[in-house]
Amino acid sequence: MALVASALIVSGCGFIGGNGSAGTKADAPKETNMNMQEAADHAEGIIDATLKAINPSVEVMQGPASDSSCTDFKNDGTGTGSVSRRRYVMTIISDERRGSLLGVVERY
């Protein structure tokens, strides 16, 4: 049985620009601009580093990946998109230790 250990979706659709909140500019999160390849590489790096933090190590298999561009109501590109990268844990993990594994992943 494969356990999905880590799934990461980096998405910009609808979240870039103003969010309608009354907060000040200092309250707003720092906006990072990157292209789709940079986002994919960043997602891969986060997942790989998280899996390296698991001790003892687990056998993993690369899952499906997807990239898509966001469009507005006229189907015109908005300059934003989403990237999805996944890994599946192929190591058999007992029911008793499964929560511990997920805790390590969450904390990292």
Side-chain angles (χ1 to χ4, degrees):
M1 178 166 117
L3 171 68
V4 178
S6 183
L8 176 69
I9 298 176
V10 179
S11 179
C13 296
F15 297 109
I16 302 296
N19 60 5
S21 68
T24 65
K25 200 172 205 173
D27 296 334
K30 180 182 173 190
E31 184 177 311
T32 302
N33 294 316
M34 62 179 72
N35 63 35
M36 296 294 273
Q37 185 60 53
E38 291 168 334
D41 293 343
H42 184 68
E44 294 280 348
I46 291 170
I47 294 171
D48 291 341
T50 301
L51 290 170
K52 285 180 185 173
I54 298 171
N55 188 16
S57 63
V58 292
E59 182 182 344
V60 296
M61 187 174 101
Q62 194 163 3
S66 65
D67 306 331
S68 64
S69 296
C70 300
T71 58
D72 62 11
F73 70 97
K74 293 186 276 183
N75 209 27
D76 293 333
T78 61
T80 62
S82 66
V83 170
S84 171
R85 296 295 185 263
R86 295 175 181 88
R87 299 288 189 283
Y88 297 104
V89 172
M90 302 304 292
T91 304
I92 296 173
I93 301 169
S94 68
D95 290 340
E96 297 83 26
R97 303 211 48 204
R98 201 166 292 151
S100 176
L101 168 69
L102 295 175
V104 168
V105 170
E106 244 181 25
R107 282 188 301 277
Y108 187 81

Coordinates of all heavy atoms in Angstrom, one line a residue:
M1 N 0.8 -1.2 0.0 CA 0.0 0.0 0.0 C 0.9 1.2 0.0 O 1.8 1.4 0.8 CB -0.9 0.0 1.2 CG -1.8 1.2 1.4 SD -3.0 0.9 2.6 CE -2.6 2.1 3.8
A2 N 0.6 2.1 -0.9 CA 1.4 3.3 -1.0 C 0.7 4.4 -0.2 O -0.5 4.6 -0.2 CB 1.5 3.8 -2.5
L3 N 1.5 5.1 0.5 CA 1.0 6.2 1.3 C 1.5 7.5 0.7 O 2.6 7.7 0.5 CB 1.5 6.1 2.8 CG 1.3 7.3 3.7 CD1 -0.2 7.4 4.0 CD2 2.1 7.1 5.0
V4 N 0.6 8.4 0.5 CA 1.0 9.7 0.0 C 1.6 10.5 1.1 O 0.9 10.8 2.1 CB -0.3 10.5 -0.6 CG1 0.2 11.8 -1.1 CG2 -0.9 9.7 -1.7
A5 N 2.9 10.7 1.0 CA 3.6 11.4 2.0 C 3.7 12.9 1.8 O 3.7 13.6 2.8 CB 5.1 10.8 2.1
S6 N 3.7 13.3 0.6 CA 3.9 14.7 0.4 C 3.3 15.1 -0.9 O 3.6 14.5 -1.9 CB 5.4 15.0 0.4 OG 5.6 16.4 0.3
A7 N 2.4 16.0 -0.9 CA 1.9 16.6 -2.1 C 2.0 18.1 -2.0 O 1.7 18.7 -0.9 CB 0.4 16.2 -2.3
L8 N 2.5 18.7 -3.0 CA 2.7 20.2 -2.9 C 2.1 20.8 -4.1 O 2.3 20.4 -5.3 CB 4.2 20.5 -2.9 CG 4.5 22.0 -2.9 CD1 4.1 22.6 -1.6 CD2 6.0 22.1 -3.1
I9 N 1.2 21.8 -3.9 CA 0.7 22.6 -5.0 C 1.0 24.0 -4.8 O 0.7 24.6 -3.8 CB -0.8 22.4 -5.1 CG1 -1.2 20.9 -5.3 CG2 -1.4 23.3 -6.2 CD1 -2.7 20.6 -5.3
V10 N 1.8 24.6 -5.8 CA 2.1 26.0 -5.7 C 1.2 26.6 -6.7 O 1.3 26.4 -7.9 CB 3.6 26.2 -6.1 CG1 3.9 27.6 -6.1 CG2 4.5 25.4 -5.2
S11 N 0.3 27.5 -6.2 CA -0.7 28.0 -7.1 C -0.7 29.5 -7.0 O -0.7 30.1 -5.9 CB -2.1 27.5 -6.7 OG -3.1 28.0 -7.6
G12 N -0.9 30.2 -8.1 CA -1.0 31.6 -8.1 C -2.4 32.1 -8.7 O -2.7 33.3 -8.7
C13 N -3.2 31.2 -9.1 CA -4.5 31.5 -9.8 C -5.4 32.3 -8.8 O -5.8 31.7 -7.8 CB -5.2 30.3 -10.3 SG -4.4 29.4 -11.6
G14 N -5.7 33.5 -9.1 CA -6.6 34.3 -8.2 C -6.0 34.8 -7.0 O -6.6 35.5 -6.2
F15 N -4.7 34.6 -6.7 CA -4.1 35.0 -5.4 C -3.1 36.1 -5.6 O -2.6 36.7 -4.7 CB -3.5 33.9 -4.7 CG -4.5 32.8 -4.3 CD1 -4.5 31.6 -4.9 CD2 -5.4 33.1 -3.3 CE1 -5.5 30.7 -4.5 CE2 -6.4 32.2 -3.0 CZ -6.4 31.0 -3.6
I16 N -2.7 36.4 -6.9 CA -1.7 37.5 -7.1 C -2.5 38.8 -7.2 O -3.5 38.9 -7.8 CB -1.0 37.2 -8.4 CG1 -0.3 35.9 -8.4 CG2 0.0 38.4 -8.7 CD1 0.8 35.8 -7.3
G17 N -1.9 39.8 -6.6 CA -2.6 41.1 -6.7 C -3.3 41.4 -5.4 O -3.1 40.8 -4.4
G18 N -4.3 42.3 -5.4 CA -5.0 42.7 -4.3 C -5.9 41.6 -3.8 O -6.5 40.8 -4.5
N19 N -6.0 41.5 -2.5 CA -6.9 40.5 -1.9 C -8.1 41.1 -1.2 O -8.9 40.4 -0.6 CB -6.1 39.6 -0.9 CG -5.6 40.4 0.3 OD1 -5.8 41.6 0.4 ND2 -4.8 39.7 1.1
G20 N -8.3 42.4 -1.4 CA -9.5 43.0 -0.9 C -9.4 43.3 0.6 O -10.4 43.7 1.2
S21 N -8.3 43.0 1.3 CA -8.3 43.2 2.7 C -7.9 44.6 3.0 O -7.3 45.3 2.2 CB -7.3 42.2 3.4 OG -6.0 42.6 3.0
A22 N -8.2 45.0 4.2 CA -7.9 46.4 4.6 C -6.5 46.6 5.2 O -6.2 47.6 5.8 CB -9.0 46.9 5.6
G23 N -5.7 45.5 5.2 CA -4.4 45.5 5.8 C -3.5 46.5 5.1 O -3.7 46.9 3.9
T24 N -2.4 46.9 5.8 CA -1.5 47.8 5.2 C -0.5 47.0 4.3 O -0.5 45.8 4.3 CB -0.7 48.5 6.3 OG1 0.1 47.6 7.0 CG2 -1.6 49.3 7.2
K25 N 0.3 47.7 3.5 CA 1.3 47.1 2.7 C 2.3 46.3 3.5 O 2.8 45.3 3.1 CB 2.0 48.2 1.8 CG 2.6 47.6 0.6 CD 3.1 48.8 -0.2 CE 3.2 48.3 -1.7 NZ 3.5 49.4 -2.6
A26 N 2.6 46.7 4.7 CA 3.5 46.0 5.6 C 3.0 44.7 6.0 O 3.7 43.8 6.3 CB 3.9 46.9 6.8
D27 N 1.6 44.6 6.1 CA 1.0 43.4 6.5 C 0.9 42.3 5.4 O 0.7 41.1 5.6 CB -0.5 43.6 7.0 CG -0.6 44.5 8.2 OD1 0.4 44.5 9.0 OD2 -1.6 45.2 8.4
A28 N 1.0 42.8 4.1 CA 0.9 41.9 3.0 C 2.1 41.0 2.9 O 3.2 41.4 3.2 CB 0.8 42.7 1.7
P29 N 1.9 39.7 2.5 CA 3.0 38.8 2.3 C 3.9 39.3 1.2 O 3.4 39.9 0.2 CB 2.4 37.5 2.0 CG 1.0 37.8 1.6 CD 0.6 39.1 2.2
K30 N 5.2 39.0 1.2 CA 6.1 39.3 0.2 C 5.7 38.5 -1.1 O 5.6 37.3 -1.0 CB 7.5 39.0 0.6 CG 8.6 39.4 -0.4 CD 9.9 39.0 0.0 CE 10.9 39.2 -1.1 NZ 12.2 38.7 -0.8
E31 N 5.5 39.2 -2.2 CA 5.2 38.6 -3.5 C 6.5 38.2 -4.2 O 7.4 38.9 -4.3 CB 4.4 39.5 -4.3 CG 3.9 38.9 -5.6 CD 3.1 39.8 -6.4 OE1 2.2 40.4 -5.9 OE2 3.4 39.9 -7.6
T32 N 6.6 36.9 -4.6 CA 7.7 36.4 -5.3 C 7.3 36.1 -6.7 O 6.3 35.4 -6.9 CB 8.2 35.1 -4.6 OG1 8.6 35.4 -3.3 CG2 9.4 34.6 -5.3
N33 N 8.0 36.6 -7.7 CA 7.7 36.3 -9.1 C 8.7 35.3 -9.6 O 9.9 35.4 -9.3 CB 7.9 37.6 -9.9 CG 6.8 38.6 -9.6 OD1 5.6 38.3 -9.4 ND2 7.2 39.9 -9.4
M34 N 8.2 34.2 -10.2 CA 9.0 33.2 -10.8 C 8.2 32.6 -12.0 O 7.0 32.7 -12.0 CB 9.3 32.1 -9.8 CG 8.2 31.4 -9.2 SD 8.7 30.1 -8.0 CE 9.2 31.0 -6.6
N35 N 9.0 32.0 -12.9 CA 8.3 31.4 -14.0 C 7.9 30.0 -13.6 O 8.2 29.5 -12.5 CB 9.2 31.4 -15.3 CG 10.5 30.6 -15.1 OD1 10.5 29.6 -14.4 ND2 11.5 31.1 -15.8
M36 N 7.2 29.3 -14.5 CA 6.7 27.9 -14.2 C 7.8 27.0 -13.9 O 7.7 26.1 -13.0 CB 5.9 27.4 -15.3 CG 4.6 28.3 -15.6 SD 3.4 28.2 -14.2 CE 2.5 26.8 -14.7
Q37 N 9.0 27.0 -14.6 CA 10.1 26.1 -14.4 C 10.7 26.4 -13.0 O 11.0 25.4 -12.3 CB 11.1 26.2 -15.5 CG 12.3 25.2 -15.3 CD 11.8 23.8 -15.4 OE1 11.1 23.4 -16.3 NE2 12.1 23.0 -14.4
E38 N 10.8 27.6 -12.6 CA 11.4 28.0 -11.3 C 10.5 27.5 -10.2 O 10.9 27.0 -9.2 CB 11.6 29.5 -11.2 CG 12.7 30.0 -12.1 CD 12.7 31.5 -12.2 OE1 11.7 32.2 -12.0 OE2 13.8 32.1 -12.4
A39 N 9.1 27.6 -10.4 CA 8.2 27.1 -9.4 C 8.3 25.6 -9.3 O 8.2 25.1 -8.2 CB 6.8 27.6 -9.8
A40 N 8.4 24.9 -10.4 CA 8.5 23.5 -10.4 C 9.8 23.0 -9.7 O 9.8 22.1 -8.8 CB 8.5 22.9 -11.8
D41 N 10.9 23.7 -10.0 CA 12.2 23.4 -9.3 C 12.1 23.6 -7.8 O 12.6 22.9 -7.0 CB 13.3 24.2 -9.9 CG 13.6 23.8 -11.3 OD1 13.2 22.7 -11.8 OD2 14.3 24.6 -12.0
H42 N 11.4 24.7 -7.4 CA 11.2 25.1 -6.0 C 10.4 24.0 -5.3 O 10.7 23.6 -4.2 CB 10.6 26.5 -5.9 CG 10.4 27.0 -4.5 ND1 11.5 27.3 -3.7 CD2 9.3 27.2 -3.7 CE1 11.1 27.7 -2.5 NE2 9.8 27.6 -2.5
A43 N 9.3 23.6 -5.9 CA 8.5 22.6 -5.3 C 9.2 21.2 -5.2 O 9.1 20.6 -4.1 CB 7.2 22.3 -6.2
E44 N 10.0 20.9 -6.2 CA 10.8 19.6 -6.1 C 11.8 19.7 -5.0 O 12.0 18.8 -4.2 CB 11.6 19.4 -7.4 CG 10.7 19.1 -8.6 CD 10.2 17.7 -8.7 OE1 10.8 16.9 -8.0 OE2 9.3 17.5 -9.6
G45 N 12.4 20.9 -4.8 CA 13.4 21.1 -3.7 C 12.8 20.9 -2.3 O 13.3 20.3 -1.4
I46 N 11.6 21.5 -2.2 CA 10.9 21.4 -0.9 C 10.5 19.9 -0.6 O 10.8 19.4 0.5 CB 9.6 22.2 -0.9 CG1 10.0 23.7 -0.9 CG2 8.7 21.9 0.3 CD1 8.8 24.6 -1.1
I47 N 10.0 19.2 -1.6 CA 9.6 17.8 -1.3 C 10.8 17.0 -1.1 O 10.9 16.2 -0.1 CB 8.8 17.3 -2.5 CG1 7.5 18.0 -2.7 CG2 8.6 15.8 -2.4 CD1 6.7 17.7 -3.9
D48 N 11.9 17.1 -1.9 CA 13.1 16.3 -1.7 C 13.7 16.6 -0.3 O 14.2 15.6 0.4 CB 14.1 16.6 -2.8 CG 13.7 16.1 -4.1 OD1 12.8 15.2 -4.2 OD2 14.2 16.6 -5.2
A49 N 13.8 17.8 0.1 CA 14.4 18.1 1.5 C 13.5 17.5 2.6 O 14.1 17.0 3.6 CB 14.5 19.7 1.6
T50 N 12.2 17.6 2.4 CA 11.3 17.0 3.4 C 11.5 15.5 3.5 O 11.6 15.0 4.6 CB 9.8 17.3 3.1 OG1 9.7 18.7 3.0 CG2 8.9 16.7 4.1
L51 N 11.7 14.8 2.4 CA 11.9 13.4 2.4 C 13.2 13.0 3.0 O 13.4 12.0 3.7 CB 11.7 12.8 1.0 CG 10.3 12.8 0.5 CD1 10.2 12.5 -1.0 CD2 9.4 11.9 1.3
K52 N 14.2 13.9 2.8 CA 15.6 13.6 3.4 C 15.5 13.7 4.9 O 16.4 13.2 5.6 CB 16.6 14.5 2.8 CG 17.0 14.1 1.4 CD 18.0 15.1 0.8 CE 18.3 14.8 -0.6 NZ 19.2 15.7 -1.3
A53 N 14.6 14.5 5.5 CA 14.5 14.7 6.9 C 13.9 13.5 7.6 O 13.9 13.4 8.8 CB 13.6 15.9 7.2
I54 N 13.3 12.5 6.9 CA 12.7 11.4 7.5 C 13.8 10.4 7.8 O 14.6 10.0 7.0 CB 11.7 10.7 6.5 CG1 10.5 11.7 6.2 CG2 11.1 9.4 7.1 CD1 9.6 11.3 5.2
N55 N 13.8 9.9 9.1 CA 14.8 8.9 9.6 C 14.1 7.8 10.3 O 13.4 8.2 11.3 CB 15.8 9.7 10.4 CG 17.0 8.8 10.8 OD1 17.2 7.7 10.2 ND2 17.8 9.2 11.7
P56 N 14.2 6.6 10.0 CA 15.0 6.1 8.9 C 14.4 6.4 7.6 O 13.2 6.7 7.5 CB 14.9 4.5 9.1 CG 13.7 4.3 9.9 CD 13.5 5.5 10.7
S57 N 15.2 6.4 6.5 CA 14.7 6.8 5.2 C 13.6 5.9 4.7 O 13.5 4.8 5.1 CB 15.9 6.9 4.2 OG 16.4 5.6 4.0
V58 N 12.8 6.4 3.8 CA 11.8 5.6 3.2 C 12.0 5.6 1.7 O 12.6 6.5 1.1 CB 10.4 6.2 3.5 CG1 10.0 6.1 4.9 CG2 10.3 7.7 3.0
E59 N 11.5 4.5 1.0 CA 11.5 4.4 -0.4 C 10.4 5.2 -1.0 O 9.2 5.1 -0.6 CB 11.4 3.0 -0.9 CG 11.5 2.8 -2.3 CD 11.3 1.3 -2.7 OE1 11.4 0.4 -1.9 OE2 11.1 1.1 -3.9
V60 N 10.7 6.1 -2.0 CA 9.6 6.9 -2.6 C 9.6 6.7 -4.1 O 10.6 6.3 -4.7 CB 9.8 8.4 -2.2 CG1 9.7 8.7 -0.8 CG2 11.1 8.9 -2.8
M61 N 8.4 7.0 -4.6 CA 8.3 7.0 -6.1 C 7.7 8.3 -6.5 O 6.8 8.9 -5.8 CB 7.3 5.9 -6.4 CG 7.2 5.6 -7.9 SD 6.2 4.2 -8.2 CE 4.7 4.9 -8.6
Q62 N 8.2 8.9 -7.6 CA 7.7 10.1 -8.1 C 6.2 9.9 -8.6 O 5.9 9.0 -9.3 CB 8.5 10.6 -9.3 CG 8.3 12.1 -9.6 CD 9.4 12.6 -10.4 OE1 10.3 12.0 -10.8 NE2 9.3 13.9 -10.7
G63 N 5.4 10.9 -8.2 CA 4.0 10.8 -8.6 C 3.8 11.7 -9.8 O 4.7 12.3 -10.4
P64 N 2.5 11.9 -10.2 CA 2.2 12.7 -11.3 C 2.5 14.2 -11.1 O 2.4 14.7 -9.9 CB 0.7 12.5 -11.5 CG 0.2 12.0 -10.2 CD 1.3 11.3 -9.5
A65 N 2.8 14.9 -12.1 CA 3.1 16.3 -12.0 C 2.2 17.0 -13.0 O 1.8 16.5 -14.0 CB 4.6 16.6 -12.4
S66 N 1.9 18.3 -12.7 CA 1.1 19.1 -13.7 C 1.5 20.5 -13.6 O 1.9 21.0 -12.5 CB -0.4 18.9 -13.4 OG -0.7 19.4 -12.1
D67 N 1.3 21.2 -14.7 CA 1.5 22.6 -14.8 C 0.4 23.2 -15.6 O 0.0 22.6 -16.6 CB 2.8 23.0 -15.5 CG 4.1 22.3 -15.0 OD1 4.1 22.0 -13.7 OD2 5.0 22.0 -15.7
S68 N -0.1 24.3 -15.1 CA -1.2 25.0 -15.9 C -1.2 26.5 -15.7 O -0.7 27.0 -14.7 CB -2.6 24.4 -15.5 OG -2.8 24.8 -14.1
S69 N -1.6 27.1 -16.8 CA -1.7 28.6 -16.7 C -3.1 29.0 -16.4 O -4.1 28.3 -16.7 CB -1.3 29.2 -18.1 OG 0.0 28.9 -18.4
C70 N -3.2 30.1 -15.7 CA -4.5 30.6 -15.3 C -5.0 31.6 -16.4 O -4.3 32.4 -17.0 CB -4.4 31.3 -14.0 SG -3.9 30.3 -12.6
T71 N -6.3 31.6 -16.6 CA -6.9 32.5 -17.5 C -8.1 33.3 -16.8 O -8.6 32.9 -15.8 CB -7.5 31.8 -18.7 OG1 -8.5 30.8 -18.3 CG2 -6.4 31.1 -19.5
D72 N -8.5 34.4 -17.4 CA -9.6 35.2 -16.9 C -10.9 34.7 -17.6 O -10.9 33.7 -18.4 CB -9.4 36.7 -17.1 CG -9.2 37.1 -18.5 OD1 -9.5 36.3 -19.4 OD2 -8.8 38.3 -18.8
F73 N -12.0 35.4 -17.4 CA -13.3 35.0 -17.9 C -13.3 35.0 -19.5 O -14.1 34.4 -20.1 CB -14.4 35.8 -17.3 CG -14.4 37.3 -17.8 CD1 -15.2 37.6 -18.8 CD2 -13.6 38.2 -17.2 CE1 -15.3 39.0 -19.3 CE2 -13.6 39.5 -17.6 CZ -14.4 39.9 -18.6
K74 N -12.4 35.8 -20.1 CA -12.3 35.8 -21.6 C -11.3 34.8 -22.1 O -11.0 34.8 -23.3 CB -11.9 37.2 -22.0 CG -13.0 38.3 -21.7 CD -12.6 39.6 -22.3 CE -11.7 40.3 -21.4 NZ -11.3 41.7 -21.8
N75 N -10.8 34.0 -21.2 CA -9.8 32.9 -21.6 C -8.4 33.5 -22.0 O -7.7 32.9 -22.7 CB -10.3 32.0 -22.6 CG -9.7 30.6 -22.5 OD1 -9.2 30.2 -21.4 ND2 -9.6 29.9 -23.6
D76 N -8.2 34.8 -21.6 CA -6.9 35.4 -21.8 C -6.0 35.1 -20.6 O -6.4 34.9 -19.5 CB -7.0 36.9 -21.9 CG -7.8 37.4 -23.1 OD1 -7.8 36.6 -24.1 OD2 -8.4 38.5 -23.0
G77 N -4.7 34.9 -20.9 CA -3.7 34.6 -19.9 C -3.6 35.7 -18.8 O -3.7 36.9 -19.2
T78 N -3.5 35.3 -17.6 CA -3.4 36.3 -16.5 C -1.9 36.5 -16.1 O -1.7 37.4 -15.2 CB -4.2 35.9 -15.3 OG1 -3.7 34.7 -14.8 CG2 -5.7 35.8 -15.6
G79 N -1.0 35.7 -16.6 CA 0.4 35.8 -16.1 C 0.6 35.0 -14.9 O 1.7 35.0 -14.3
T80 N -0.4 34.2 -14.4 CA -0.2 33.4 -13.3 C -0.4 31.9 -13.7 O -0.9 31.6 -14.8 CB -1.2 33.7 -12.2 OG1 -2.5 33.5 -12.6 CG2 -1.0 35.2 -11.7
G81 N -0.1 31.0 -12.8 CA -0.3 29.6 -13.1 C -0.2 28.7 -11.8 O 0.0 29.3 -10.7
S82 N -0.2 27.4 -12.0 CA 0.0 26.5 -10.9 C 0.9 25.4 -11.3 O 0.9 25.0 -12.5 CB -1.4 26.0 -10.4 OG -2.0 25.2 -11.4
V83 N 1.6 24.9 -10.3 CA 2.5 23.8 -10.5 C 2.2 22.8 -9.4 O 2.0 23.1 -8.2 CB 4.0 24.2 -10.3 CG1 4.9 23.1 -10.3 CG2 4.3 25.2 -11.5
S84 N 2.1 21.5 -9.7 CA 1.9 20.4 -8.8 C 2.9 19.3 -8.9 O 3.2 18.9 -10.0 CB 0.5 19.9 -9.1 OG 0.3 18.7 -8.3
R85 N 3.5 18.9 -7.8 CA 4.5 17.9 -7.8 C 4.2 16.9 -6.6 O 3.8 17.4 -5.5 CB 5.9 18.4 -7.6 CG 6.4 19.3 -8.7 CD 6.5 18.5 -10.0 NE 7.1 19.2 -11.1 CZ 6.4 19.8 -12.0 NH1 5.1 19.8 -12.0 NH2 7.0 20.5 -13.0
R86 N 4.3 15.6 -6.8 CA 3.9 14.6 -5.8 C 5.0 13.6 -5.7 O 5.7 13.2 -6.6 CB 2.6 14.0 -6.1 CG 1.4 15.0 -6.1 CD 0.2 14.3 -6.6 NE -1.0 15.2 -6.7 CZ -1.2 16.0 -7.7 NH1 -0.5 15.9 -8.8 NH2 -2.3 16.8 -7.7
R87 N 5.0 13.0 -4.5 CA 5.8 11.8 -4.2 C 5.0 10.8 -3.4 O 4.2 11.2 -2.6 CB 7.1 12.1 -3.3 CG 8.0 13.1 -3.9 CD 8.8 12.4 -5.1 NE 9.9 13.3 -5.5 CZ 9.7 14.4 -6.3 NH1 8.5 14.8 -6.6 NH2 10.8 15.1 -6.6
Y88 N 5.2 9.5 -3.7 CA 4.5 8.5 -2.9 C 5.5 7.7 -2.1 O 6.5 7.3 -2.7 CB 3.7 7.5 -3.9 CG 2.6 8.2 -4.7 CD1 2.8 8.6 -6.0 CD2 1.4 8.6 -4.1 CE1 1.8 9.2 -6.7 CE2 0.4 9.2 -4.8 CZ 0.6 9.6 -6.1 OH -0.3 10.2 -6.8
V89 N 5.1 7.4 -0.9 CA 6.0 6.5 0.0 C 5.7 5.1 -0.4 O 4.5 4.7 -0.3 CB 5.8 6.8 1.5 CG1 6.5 5.8 2.3 CG2 6.2 8.2 1.8
M90 N 6.7 4.3 -0.8 CA 6.5 2.9 -1.1 C 6.9 2.0 0.0 O 6.7 0.8 -0.1 CB 7.3 2.6 -2.4 CG 6.9 3.5 -3.6 SD 5.2 3.5 -4.0 CE 5.0 1.9 -4.7
T91 N 7.4 2.5 1.0 CA 7.8 1.7 2.2 C 6.6 1.3 3.0 O 5.7 2.2 3.2 CB 8.8 2.5 3.1 OG1 9.9 2.9 2.3 CG2 9.2 1.7 4.3
I92 N 6.5 0.1 3.4 CA 5.4 -0.4 4.3 C 5.6 0.2 5.6 O 6.6 0.0 6.3 CB 5.3 -1.9 4.3 CG1 4.9 -2.4 2.9 CG2 4.2 -2.3 5.3 CD1 5.0 -3.9 2.8
I93 N 4.6 0.9 6.1 CA 4.7 1.6 7.4 C 3.5 1.1 8.3 O 2.4 1.2 7.8 CB 4.6 3.1 7.3 CG1 5.8 3.6 6.4 CG2 4.7 3.8 8.6 CD1 5.7 5.0 5.9
S94 N 3.8 0.6 9.5 CA 2.8 0.1 10.3 C 1.8 1.2 10.7 O 2.1 2.4 10.7 CB 3.4 -0.5 11.6 OG 4.0 0.5 12.4
D95 N 0.6 0.7 11.1 CA -0.4 1.7 11.5 C 0.1 2.5 12.7 O -0.2 3.7 12.8 CB -1.7 1.0 11.9 CG -2.4 0.4 10.7 OD1 -2.2 0.8 9.5 OD2 -3.3 -0.5 10.9
E96 N 0.8 1.9 13.6 CA 1.3 2.5 14.8 C 2.3 3.6 14.5 O 2.4 4.6 15.2 CB 1.9 1.5 15.8 CG 1.0 0.5 16.3 CD 0.8 -0.7 15.3 OE1 1.7 -1.0 14.5 OE2 -0.3 -1.3 15.4
R97 N 3.1 3.5 13.4 CA 4.1 4.4 13.1 C 3.7 5.4 12.1 O 4.5 6.4 11.8 CB 5.4 3.7 12.7 CG 5.8 2.7 13.8 CD 7.2 2.4 13.9 NE 8.1 3.5 13.9 CZ 9.4 3.5 13.6 NH1 9.9 2.3 13.2 NH2 10.1 4.5 13.6
R98 N 2.6 5.2 11.4 CA 2.2 6.1 10.4 C 2.0 7.6 10.9 O 2.4 8.5 10.2 CB 0.9 5.6 9.7 CG 0.6 6.1 8.4 CD -0.5 5.4 7.7 NE 0.0 4.0 7.4 CZ -0.8 3.0 7.3 NH1 -2.1 3.1 7.4 NH2 -0.3 1.8 7.0
G99 N 1.4 7.7 12.0 CA 1.2 9.1 12.6 C 2.5 9.8 12.9 O 2.6 11.0 12.7
S100 N 3.5 9.0 13.3 CA 4.8 9.5 13.6 C 5.4 10.1 12.3 O 6.0 11.1 12.3 CB 5.7 8.5 14.2 OG 7.0 9.0 14.4
L101 N 5.3 9.3 11.2 CA 5.9 9.7 9.9 C 5.2 11.0 9.5 O 5.9 11.9 9.1 CB 5.7 8.6 8.9 CG 5.9 9.0 7.4 CD1 7.4 9.3 7.2 CD2 5.4 8.0 6.5
L102 N 3.9 11.0 9.5 CA 3.2 12.3 9.1 C 3.6 13.5 10.0 O 3.7 14.6 9.5 CB 1.7 12.0 9.1 CG 1.2 11.0 8.0 CD1 -0.2 10.7 8.2 CD2 1.6 11.4 6.7
G103 N 3.8 13.2 11.3 CA 4.3 14.3 12.2 C 5.6 14.8 11.8 O 5.8 16.0 11.8
V104 N 6.5 13.9 11.4 CA 7.9 14.4 10.9 C 7.7 15.3 9.7 O 8.3 16.3 9.6 CB 8.8 13.2 10.7 CG1 10.1 13.6 9.9 CG2 9.1 12.5 11.9
V105 N 6.9 14.8 8.8 CA 6.7 15.6 7.5 C 6.1 16.9 7.8 O 6.5 18.0 7.3 CB 5.8 14.8 6.5 CG1 5.4 15.6 5.3 CG2 6.6 13.5 6.1
E106 N 5.0 16.9 8.7 CA 4.4 18.2 9.0 C 5.3 19.2 9.7 O 5.4 20.4 9.4 CB 3.2 17.9 10.0 CG 1.9 18.3 9.4 CD 0.8 18.0 10.4 OE1 1.0 18.0 11.7 OE2 -0.3 17.8 9.9
R107 N 6.1 18.7 10.7 CA 7.0 19.6 11.4 C 8.1 20.1 10.5 O 8.6 21.2 10.6 CB 7.6 18.8 12.6 CG 6.7 18.7 13.8 CD 7.4 18.2 15.0 NE 8.0 16.8 14.8 CZ 7.3 15.7 14.9 NH1 6.0 15.7 15.2 NH2 8.0 14.5 14.7
Y108 N 8.6 19.3 9.6 CA 9.7 19.8 8.7 C 9.1 20.8 7.8 O 9.8 21.8 7.5 CB 10.3 18.6 7.9 CG 11.5 19.1 7.1 CD1 12.8 19.2 7.7 CD2 11.4 19.5 5.8 CE1 13.9 19.7 7.0 CE2 12.5 20.0 5.1 CZ 13.7 20.1 5.7 OH 14.8 20.5 5.0

